[in-house]
Amino acid sequence: MSVKSFTLNLNEGKMGIGLKTYPVIDNVESDSVGERLGVESGSLILSLNGKKYDTKKDFIKQIKSLKQSSSTGDLLVLEEPNNYNFSSLRFANVTLSPPTNMIDINTPEQIETISEWPNSNNRGTNGDTFTMNPITKGFTGLKGEVLFIPKGYKFYHGLTTPRGDFELHDYREIFVSDRKNALIYSKGSTDSTRLIRFKTKKPLVLFNILDPQNIESILDTVESDTVLTETQKKLFTDVVNNCVRSKSKLSHSIEGYVDELDDFVKVGLDSLKYNDVNYGSTGQIHRVSIAFYDSTIPVIPSFAKSNINDIFDGYYGGYTPNAKGFFHPEVYLLNQYECLELVGERSRSIDTGVGMLRKKDPTYYHDNARTLLTKLRKKKKLRTKRKGKQNSKKKSKARRKKKSKGKSISYF
């Protein structure tokens, strides 16, 4: 991967550079000026005469203007951007960088000694979310990232309706996050109406559900499981592939930091590589929300807790690209009462035997995973039966429409 500059003499003839998916150069025509200069297809256009152009329309307009004035143009491109591992990303005034809070931890006994990361209040601002707590790579059966949340750490949960009395329930899962994103889910309401505040009752151990190595570890364990049926194993894989390893196209772009330029450039998410993870339809992983499968996503942490290590309390995910935008940072806990207590309020539970919860037989979570997979199988069968012919018609229509579309490429 390298940054290269080309001087284009716009009076020499057609440049022969195709820009169907600008700012990527999709094609370079044979025997064209672009080919003679050594411009390569797949390169990312960074600037023209030192200026960035966000849209193809503006870029082509400037090219035409330079032609009319018989001027030359200095074209700066990033070659082989698909092979470049961006060191940081930026979107919506948030800058993402690989974690710097890595620690060396090998045994569960060390968890009790973990303390909160300095200056972290979990407010949801840049550099201040729960993901700033200590992280390790490779822990008790998982190959990828595992996050440790200390005892007494604050979490937030946004309600979409006025709250009333909130109770914590044993064996009931819950999503929590930082304060900023909890308010997004609560439609911007104030603390007293729809924002629930918690602090952790014990140190939490969470695996990164969007780490390809973690998913690989879990699916390997699923394959060797002796309790799940072959049908349930296939459903488990379907849940993973449809929720956290989707191959759907990511049509939007993001800004990635290029070290050679000491600057950010716009790059398409569908071919993005960041922190050694590929995204998009040709990548390894990204998060997609499909209600049909989301209802069964607890099967993943349930299985990890029962088959890999019962010390896991759930999963976490940071800012993650999806088909339409980004998922906000989230934590999913398998047992809300075991992990959390309400801040400033009296916490109640439908089960008072809290002392034994930590030592609960992990087969409970395995049975929970099997129950969820059974429900999904029945729902999937009913859904298929109800929508069979209708889906076939839609797919046929979509294929015909796709074939009818031209494959034109714009050149300058």
PDB file of all heavy atoms in Angstrom, residues 349-376:
ATOM      1  N   SER A 349     -35.906  -8.131  44.027  1.00  0.00           N
ATOM      2  CA  SER A 349     -35.793  -9.239  43.100  1.00  0.00           C
ATOM      3  C   SER A 349     -36.858 -10.271  43.386  1.00  0.00           C
ATOM      4  O   SER A 349     -37.350 -10.388  44.513  1.00  0.00           O
ATOM      5  CB  SER A 349     -34.415  -9.896  43.218  1.00  0.00           C
ATOM      6  OG  SER A 349     -34.360 -11.085  42.456  1.00  0.00           O
ATOM      7  N   ILE A 350     -37.216 -11.052  42.369  1.00  0.00           N
ATOM      8  CA  ILE A 350     -38.186 -12.118  42.574  1.00  0.00           C
ATOM      9  C   ILE A 350     -37.520 -13.357  43.170  1.00  0.00           C
ATOM     10  O   ILE A 350     -38.177 -14.327  43.478  1.00  0.00           O
ATOM     11  CB  ILE A 350     -38.857 -12.501  41.243  1.00  0.00           C
ATOM     12  CG1 ILE A 350     -37.801 -12.922  40.202  1.00  0.00           C
ATOM     13  CG2 ILE A 350     -39.690 -11.354  40.715  1.00  0.00           C
ATOM     14  CD1 ILE A 350     -38.388 -13.452  38.924  1.00  0.00           C
ATOM     15  N   ASP A 351     -36.175 -13.310  43.329  1.00  0.00           N
ATOM     16  CA  ASP A 351     -35.433 -14.415  43.924  1.00  0.00           C
ATOM     17  C   ASP A 351     -34.447 -13.825  44.918  1.00  0.00           C
ATOM     18  O   ASP A 351     -33.595 -13.038  44.554  1.00  0.00           O
ATOM     19  CB  ASP A 351     -34.696 -15.207  42.835  1.00  0.00           C
ATOM     20  CG  ASP A 351     -34.031 -16.464  43.378  1.00  0.00           C
ATOM     21  OD1 ASP A 351     -33.864 -16.554  44.599  1.00  0.00           O
ATOM     22  OD2 ASP A 351     -33.695 -17.344  42.568  1.00  0.00           O
ATOM     23  N   THR A 352     -34.541 -14.198  46.174  1.00  0.00           N
ATOM     24  CA  THR A 352     -33.678 -13.612  47.198  1.00  0.00           C
ATOM     25  C   THR A 352     -32.436 -14.452  47.464  1.00  0.00           C
ATOM     26  O   THR A 352     -31.594 -14.080  48.262  1.00  0.00           O
ATOM     27  CB  THR A 352     -34.452 -13.450  48.526  1.00  0.00           C
ATOM     28  OG1 THR A 352     -34.963 -14.743  48.917  1.00  0.00           O
ATOM     29  CG2 THR A 352     -35.588 -12.466  48.374  1.00  0.00           C
ATOM     30  N   GLY A 353     -32.296 -15.599  46.810  1.00  0.00           N
ATOM     31  CA  GLY A 353     -31.133 -16.455  47.032  1.00  0.00           C
ATOM     32  C   GLY A 353     -29.930 -15.996  46.234  1.00  0.00           C
ATOM     33  O   GLY A 353     -29.367 -16.750  45.450  1.00  0.00           O
ATOM     34  N   VAL A 354     -29.526 -14.748  46.462  1.00  0.00           N
ATOM     35  CA  VAL A 354     -28.479 -14.151  45.647  1.00  0.00           C
ATOM     36  C   VAL A 354     -27.120 -14.787  45.886  1.00  0.00           C
ATOM     37  O   VAL A 354     -26.298 -14.912  44.999  1.00  0.00           O
ATOM     38  CB  VAL A 354     -28.392 -12.632  45.898  1.00  0.00           C
ATOM     39  CG1 VAL A 354     -27.317 -11.999  45.020  1.00  0.00           C
ATOM     40  CG2 VAL A 354     -29.732 -11.997  45.656  1.00  0.00           C
ATOM     41  N   GLY A 355     -26.886 -15.251  47.103  1.00  0.00           N
ATOM     42  CA  GLY A 355     -25.568 -15.766  47.455  1.00  0.00           C
ATOM     43  C   GLY A 355     -25.117 -16.935  46.620  1.00  0.00           C
ATOM     44  O   GLY A 355     -23.910 -17.144  46.426  1.00  0.00           O
ATOM     45  N   MET A 356     -26.050 -17.728  46.093  1.00  0.00           N
ATOM     46  CA  MET A 356     -25.680 -18.919  45.335  1.00  0.00           C
ATOM     47  C   MET A 356     -25.638 -18.684  43.822  1.00  0.00           C
ATOM     48  O   MET A 356     -25.299 -19.588  43.082  1.00  0.00           O
ATOM     49  CB  MET A 356     -26.668 -20.050  45.632  1.00  0.00           C
ATOM     50  CG  MET A 356     -26.695 -20.493  47.092  1.00  0.00           C
ATOM     51  SD  MET A 356     -25.081 -21.091  47.636  1.00  0.00           S
ATOM     52  CE  MET A 356     -24.967 -22.597  46.678  1.00  0.00           C
ATOM     53  N   LEU A 357     -25.967 -17.465  43.390  1.00  0.00           N
ATOM     54  CA  LEU A 357     -26.081 -17.238  41.955  1.00  0.00           C
ATOM     55  C   LEU A 357     -24.758 -17.430  41.224  1.00  0.00           C
ATOM     56  O   LEU A 357     -24.722 -17.961  40.125  1.00  0.00           O
ATOM     57  CB  LEU A 357     -26.616 -15.836  41.675  1.00  0.00           C
ATOM     58  CG  LEU A 357     -28.071 -15.595  42.073  1.00  0.00           C
ATOM     59  CD1 LEU A 357     -28.446 -14.159  41.778  1.00  0.00           C
ATOM     60  CD2 LEU A 357     -28.994 -16.534  41.328  1.00  0.00           C
ATOM     61  N   ARG A 358     -23.655 -17.001  41.830  1.00  0.00           N
ATOM     62  CA  ARG A 358     -22.354 -17.083  41.178  1.00  0.00           C
ATOM     63  C   ARG A 358     -21.984 -18.542  40.901  1.00  0.00           C
ATOM     64  O   ARG A 358     -21.301 -18.847  39.943  1.00  0.00           O
ATOM     65  CB  ARG A 358     -21.295 -16.430  42.067  1.00  0.00           C
ATOM     66  CG  ARG A 358     -19.920 -16.325  41.430  1.00  0.00           C
ATOM     67  CD  ARG A 358     -19.821 -15.116  40.550  1.00  0.00           C
ATOM     68  NE  ARG A 358     -18.515 -15.006  39.928  1.00  0.00           N
ATOM     69  CZ  ARG A 358     -18.071 -13.918  39.356  1.00  0.00           C
ATOM     70  NH1 ARG A 358     -18.815 -12.854  39.309  1.00  0.00           N
ATOM     71  NH2 ARG A 358     -16.884 -13.886  38.803  1.00  0.00           N
ATOM     72  N   LYS A 359     -22.474 -19.462  41.775  1.00  0.00           N
ATOM     73  CA  LYS A 359     -22.117 -20.870  41.639  1.00  0.00           C
ATOM     74  C   LYS A 359     -23.207 -21.676  40.944  1.00  0.00           C
ATOM     75  O   LYS A 359     -23.232 -22.896  41.031  1.00  0.00           O
ATOM     76  CB  LYS A 359     -21.830 -21.457  43.023  1.00  0.00           C
ATOM     77  CG  LYS A 359     -20.676 -20.775  43.755  1.00  0.00           C
ATOM     78  CD  LYS A 359     -20.469 -21.353  45.146  1.00  0.00           C
ATOM     79  CE  LYS A 359     -19.342 -20.631  45.866  1.00  0.00           C
ATOM     80  NZ  LYS A 359     -19.139 -21.159  47.234  1.00  0.00           N
ATOM     81  N   LYS A 360     -24.105 -20.991  40.273  1.00  0.00           N
ATOM     82  CA  LYS A 360     -25.189 -21.679  39.573  1.00  0.00           C
ATOM     83  C   LYS A 360     -24.610 -22.649  38.547  1.00  0.00           C
ATOM     84  O   LYS A 360     -23.667 -22.342  37.849  1.00  0.00           O
ATOM     85  CB  LYS A 360     -26.090 -20.665  38.881  1.00  0.00           C
ATOM     86  CG  LYS A 360     -27.252 -21.251  38.104  1.00  0.00           C
ATOM     87  CD  LYS A 360     -28.215 -22.008  38.980  1.00  0.00           C
ATOM     88  CE  LYS A 360     -28.970 -21.118  39.930  1.00  0.00           C
ATOM     89  NZ  LYS A 360     -29.975 -21.864  40.712  1.00  0.00           N
ATOM     90  N   ASP A 361     -25.178 -23.843  38.474  1.00  0.00           N
ATOM     91  CA  ASP A 361     -24.715 -24.863  37.529  1.00  0.00           C
ATOM     92  C   ASP A 361     -24.799 -24.301  36.108  1.00  0.00           C
ATOM     93  O   ASP A 361     -25.864 -23.887  35.664  1.00  0.00           O
ATOM     94  CB  ASP A 361     -25.611 -26.102  37.658  1.00  0.00           C
ATOM     95  CG  ASP A 361     -25.058 -27.285  36.873  1.00  0.00           C
ATOM     96  OD1 ASP A 361     -24.315 -27.039  35.907  1.00  0.00           O
ATOM     97  OD2 ASP A 361     -25.382 -28.424  37.221  1.00  0.00           O
ATOM     98  N   PRO A 362     -23.671 -24.303  35.377  1.00  0.00           N
ATOM     99  CA  PRO A 362     -23.671 -23.727  34.020  1.00  0.00           C
ATOM    100  C   PRO A 362     -24.581 -24.456  33.042  1.00  0.00           C
ATOM    101  O   PRO A 362     -24.872 -23.927  31.969  1.00  0.00           O
ATOM    102  CB  PRO A 362     -22.202 -23.824  33.590  1.00  0.00           C
ATOM    103  CG  PRO A 362     -21.594 -24.849  34.482  1.00  0.00           C
ATOM    104  CD  PRO A 362     -22.330 -24.742  35.777  1.00  0.00           C
ATOM    105  N   THR A 363     -25.016 -25.680  33.399  1.00  0.00           N
ATOM    106  CA  THR A 363     -25.941 -26.375  32.495  1.00  0.00           C
ATOM    107  C   THR A 363     -27.259 -25.622  32.365  1.00  0.00           C
ATOM    108  O   THR A 363     -27.991 -25.810  31.392  1.00  0.00           O
ATOM    109  CB  THR A 363     -26.224 -27.807  32.999  1.00  0.00           C
ATOM    110  OG1 THR A 363     -26.741 -27.735  34.331  1.00  0.00           O
ATOM    111  CG2 THR A 363     -24.957 -28.648  32.981  1.00  0.00           C
ATOM    112  N   TYR A 364     -27.555 -24.734  33.348  1.00  0.00           N
ATOM    113  CA  TYR A 364     -28.756 -23.909  33.241  1.00  0.00           C
ATOM    114  C   TYR A 364     -28.704 -23.084  31.954  1.00  0.00           C
ATOM    115  O   TYR A 364     -29.692 -22.961  31.229  1.00  0.00           O
ATOM    116  CB  TYR A 364     -28.888 -22.970  34.439  1.00  0.00           C
ATOM    117  CG  TYR A 364     -29.889 -21.865  34.213  1.00  0.00           C
ATOM    118  CD1 TYR A 364     -31.253 -22.069  34.386  1.00  0.00           C
ATOM    119  CD2 TYR A 364     -29.469 -20.609  33.772  1.00  0.00           C
ATOM    120  CE1 TYR A 364     -32.166 -21.063  34.125  1.00  0.00           C
ATOM    121  CE2 TYR A 364     -30.376 -19.597  33.511  1.00  0.00           C
ATOM    122  CZ  TYR A 364     -31.722 -19.835  33.700  1.00  0.00           C
ATOM    123  OH  TYR A 364     -32.622 -18.843  33.436  1.00  0.00           O
ATOM    124  N   TYR A 365     -27.530 -22.507  31.670  1.00  0.00           N
ATOM    125  CA  TYR A 365     -27.389 -21.657  30.492  1.00  0.00           C
ATOM    126  C   TYR A 365     -27.360 -22.488  29.217  1.00  0.00           C
ATOM    127  O   TYR A 365     -27.777 -22.033  28.159  1.00  0.00           O
ATOM    128  CB  TYR A 365     -26.123 -20.802  30.630  1.00  0.00           C
ATOM    129  CG  TYR A 365     -26.242 -19.815  31.758  1.00  0.00           C
ATOM    130  CD1 TYR A 365     -25.694 -20.083  33.008  1.00  0.00           C
ATOM    131  CD2 TYR A 365     -26.957 -18.631  31.585  1.00  0.00           C
ATOM    132  CE1 TYR A 365     -25.833 -19.188  34.054  1.00  0.00           C
ATOM    133  CE2 TYR A 365     -27.096 -17.731  32.627  1.00  0.00           C
ATOM    134  CZ  TYR A 365     -26.544 -18.015  33.864  1.00  0.00           C
ATOM    135  OH  TYR A 365     -26.692 -17.133  34.893  1.00  0.00           O
ATOM    136  N   HIS A 366     -26.863 -23.700  29.319  1.00  0.00           N
ATOM    137  CA  HIS A 366     -26.898 -24.591  28.156  1.00  0.00           C
ATOM    138  C   HIS A 366     -28.351 -24.927  27.818  1.00  0.00           C
ATOM    139  O   HIS A 366     -28.763 -24.908  26.658  1.00  0.00           O
ATOM    140  CB  HIS A 366     -26.119 -25.875  28.454  1.00  0.00           C
ATOM    141  CG  HIS A 366     -25.658 -26.579  27.215  1.00  0.00           C
ATOM    142  ND1 HIS A 366     -24.461 -27.234  27.137  1.00  0.00           N
ATOM    143  CD2 HIS A 366     -26.218 -26.721  25.993  1.00  0.00           C
ATOM    144  CE1 HIS A 366     -24.301 -27.748  25.937  1.00  0.00           C
ATOM    145  NE2 HIS A 366     -25.358 -27.458  25.220  1.00  0.00           N
ATOM    146  N   ASP A 367     -29.152 -25.233  28.852  1.00  0.00           N
ATOM    147  CA  ASP A 367     -30.570 -25.512  28.631  1.00  0.00           C
ATOM    148  C   ASP A 367     -31.283 -24.290  28.075  1.00  0.00           C
ATOM    149  O   ASP A 367     -32.181 -24.399  27.230  1.00  0.00           O
ATOM    150  CB  ASP A 367     -31.229 -25.952  29.942  1.00  0.00           C
ATOM    151  CG  ASP A 367     -30.741 -27.315  30.409  1.00  0.00           C
ATOM    152  OD1 ASP A 367     -30.230 -28.066  29.559  1.00  0.00           O
ATOM    153  OD2 ASP A 367     -30.842 -27.608  31.605  1.00  0.00           O
ATOM    154  N   ASN A 368     -30.869 -23.092  28.547  1.00  0.00           N
ATOM    155  CA  ASN A 368     -31.445 -21.850  28.056  1.00  0.00           C
ATOM    156  C   ASN A 368     -31.157 -21.685  26.561  1.00  0.00           C
ATOM    157  O   ASN A 368     -32.038 -21.304  25.785  1.00  0.00           O
ATOM    158  CB  ASN A 368     -30.849 -20.668  28.830  1.00  0.00           C
ATOM    159  CG  ASN A 368     -31.432 -19.337  28.410  1.00  0.00           C
ATOM    160  OD1 ASN A 368     -32.643 -19.208  28.243  1.00  0.00           O
ATOM    161  ND2 ASN A 368     -30.578 -18.344  28.227  1.00  0.00           N
ATOM    162  N   ALA A 369     -29.928 -22.013  26.162  1.00  0.00           N
ATOM    163  CA  ALA A 369     -29.561 -21.926  24.745  1.00  0.00           C
ATOM    164  C   ALA A 369     -30.392 -22.895  23.902  1.00  0.00           C
ATOM    165  O   ALA A 369     -30.888 -22.544  22.835  1.00  0.00           O
ATOM    166  CB  ALA A 369     -28.071 -22.220  24.572  1.00  0.00           C
ATOM    167  N   ARG A 370     -30.573 -24.111  24.400  1.00  0.00           N
ATOM    168  CA  ARG A 370     -31.353 -25.105  23.656  1.00  0.00           C
ATOM    169  C   ARG A 370     -32.815 -24.666  23.525  1.00  0.00           C
ATOM    170  O   ARG A 370     -33.437 -24.844  22.476  1.00  0.00           O
ATOM    171  CB  ARG A 370     -31.285 -26.456  24.368  1.00  0.00           C
ATOM    172  CG  ARG A 370     -29.899 -27.072  24.363  1.00  0.00           C
ATOM    173  CD  ARG A 370     -29.900 -28.391  25.098  1.00  0.00           C
ATOM    174  NE  ARG A 370     -30.645 -29.401  24.355  1.00  0.00           N
ATOM    175  CZ  ARG A 370     -31.081 -30.540  24.884  1.00  0.00           C
ATOM    176  NH1 ARG A 370     -30.879 -30.797  26.160  1.00  0.00           N
ATOM    177  NH2 ARG A 370     -31.727 -31.420  24.152  1.00  0.00           N
ATOM    178  N   THR A 371     -33.367 -24.079  24.592  1.00  0.00           N
ATOM    179  CA  THR A 371     -34.751 -23.601  24.557  1.00  0.00           C
ATOM    180  C   THR A 371     -34.924 -22.498  23.519  1.00  0.00           C
ATOM    181  O   THR A 371     -35.879 -22.489  22.742  1.00  0.00           O
ATOM    182  CB  THR A 371     -35.170 -23.069  25.942  1.00  0.00           C
ATOM    183  OG1 THR A 371     -35.055 -24.124  26.894  1.00  0.00           O
ATOM    184  CG2 THR A 371     -36.600 -22.567  25.932  1.00  0.00           C
ATOM    185  N   LEU A 372     -33.953 -21.573  23.501  1.00  0.00           N
ATOM    186  CA  LEU A 372     -34.022 -20.470  22.542  1.00  0.00           C
ATOM    187  C   LEU A 372     -33.914 -20.977  21.105  1.00  0.00           C
ATOM    188  O   LEU A 372     -34.614 -20.502  20.209  1.00  0.00           O
ATOM    189  CB  LEU A 372     -32.901 -19.477  22.826  1.00  0.00           C
ATOM    190  CG  LEU A 372     -33.075 -18.615  24.082  1.00  0.00           C
ATOM    191  CD1 LEU A 372     -31.769 -17.938  24.454  1.00  0.00           C
ATOM    192  CD2 LEU A 372     -34.168 -17.592  23.883  1.00  0.00           C
ATOM    193  N   LEU A 373     -33.052 -21.964  20.882  1.00  0.00           N
ATOM    194  CA  LEU A 373     -32.901 -22.521  19.538  1.00  0.00           C
ATOM    195  C   LEU A 373     -34.157 -23.268  19.104  1.00  0.00           C
ATOM    196  O   LEU A 373     -34.549 -23.224  17.939  1.00  0.00           O
ATOM    197  CB  LEU A 373     -31.695 -23.460  19.503  1.00  0.00           C
ATOM    198  CG  LEU A 373     -30.327 -22.770  19.533  1.00  0.00           C
ATOM    199  CD1 LEU A 373     -29.216 -23.792  19.730  1.00  0.00           C
ATOM    200  CD2 LEU A 373     -30.081 -21.963  18.267  1.00  0.00           C
ATOM    201  N   THR A 374     -34.797 -23.948  20.054  1.00  0.00           N
ATOM    202  CA  THR A 374     -36.046 -24.646  19.733  1.00  0.00           C
ATOM    203  C   THR A 374     -37.132 -23.659  19.340  1.00  0.00           C
ATOM    204  O   THR A 374     -37.883 -23.868  18.382  1.00  0.00           O
ATOM    205  CB  THR A 374     -36.511 -25.490  20.944  1.00  0.00           C
ATOM    206  OG1 THR A 374     -35.497 -26.434  21.264  1.00  0.00           O
ATOM    207  CG2 THR A 374     -37.802 -26.235  20.617  1.00  0.00           C
ATOM    208  N   LYS A 375     -37.226 -22.542  20.078  1.00  0.00           N
ATOM    209  CA  LYS A 375     -38.209 -21.515  19.751  1.00  0.00           C
ATOM    210  C   LYS A 375     -37.936 -20.926  18.370  1.00  0.00           C
ATOM    211  O   LYS A 375     -38.859 -20.675  17.596  1.00  0.00           O
ATOM    212  CB  LYS A 375     -38.178 -20.402  20.809  1.00  0.00           C
ATOM    213  CG  LYS A 375     -38.774 -20.797  22.149  1.00  0.00           C
ATOM    214  CD  LYS A 375     -38.727 -19.617  23.111  1.00  0.00           C
ATOM    215  CE  LYS A 375     -39.362 -19.983  24.453  1.00  0.00           C
ATOM    216  NZ  LYS A 375     -39.294 -18.858  25.407  1.00  0.00           N
ATOM    217  N   LEU A 376     -36.654 -20.699  18.063  1.00  0.00           N
ATOM    218  CA  LEU A 376     -36.305 -20.152  16.761  1.00  0.00           C
ATOM    219  C   LEU A 376     -36.673 -21.122  15.646  1.00  0.00           C
ATOM    220  O   LEU A 376     -37.174 -20.726  14.596  1.00  0.00           O
ATOM    221  CB  LEU A 376     -34.806 -19.843  16.711  1.00  0.00           C
ATOM    222  CG  LEU A 376     -34.288 -19.296  15.377  1.00  0.00           C
ATOM    223  CD1 LEU A 376     -34.921 -17.950  15.065  1.00  0.00           C
ATOM    224  CD2 LEU A 376     -32.780 -19.180  15.382  1.00  0.00           C
TER     225      LEU A 376
END
